[in-house]
Amino acid sequence: MTVVVYAKHPPYTDGHLADIQDEMDHAGPPTIRVVERGHKTYFALEGSHRLYEAHQRGITPKLVVVIEELDDELASFWQKIENTLPRYEFEHAYVLKLKE
């Protein structure tokens, strides 16, 4: 089963992506803070450009889960906006759950 990560927004076309590409050339896989929505489904709280570039390059991202269990209000919020967000699928991801 693939890992699905929703980004906050698509990459900007203002040149920022080139900086991220250079950063990833030197630093390697990105580490992204996320909210866990379900089994292998996450919403990124940051790193939209890093997620895009990792997906383009086939690089496995490192996800840090800062919120695991969604209350009804937060779950409803993510469900409402899910279809408007960029969606990236990865074969797998390294996941660290802060709660654990």
Side-chain angles (χ1 to χ4, degrees):
M1 181 178 202
T2 59
V3 175
V4 175
V5 184
Y6 290 90
K8 289 173 38 177
H9 57 77
Y12 302 141
T13 57
D14 64 357
H16 180 60
L17 189 56
D19 294 336
I20 296 302
Q21 291 166 338
D22 187 51
E23 176 185 310
M24 288 180 68
D25 285 343
H26 295 82
T31 300
I32 310 291
R33 291 181 299 154
V34 298
V35 171
E36 186 173 25
R37 180 152 186 275
H39 185 65
K40 297 191 179 199
T41 302
Y42 305 91
F43 289 98
L45 300 175
E46 62 184 2
S48 295
H49 292 85
R50 290 177 283 154
L51 279 171
Y52 171 82
E53 191 60 26
H55 186 260
Q56 290 296 110
R57 294 182 183 201
I59 295 174
T60 301
K62 297 182 275 185
L63 307 177
V64 178
V65 178
V66 295
I67 300 175
E68 268 184 77
E69 299 173 20
L70 301 180
D71 61 27
D72 290 341
E73 185 177 346
L74 193 52
S76 176
F77 167 77
W78 288 114
Q79 186 175 7
K80 286 178 188 175
I81 66 168
E82 180 177 336
N83 292 331
T84 67
L85 302 174
R87 180 180 193 267
Y88 301 108
E89 292 186 12
F90 297 92
E91 188 175 320
H92 61 276
Y94 302 107
V95 178
L96 170 66
K97 295 184 178 186
L98 292 180
K99 198 172 189 178
E100 294 176 5

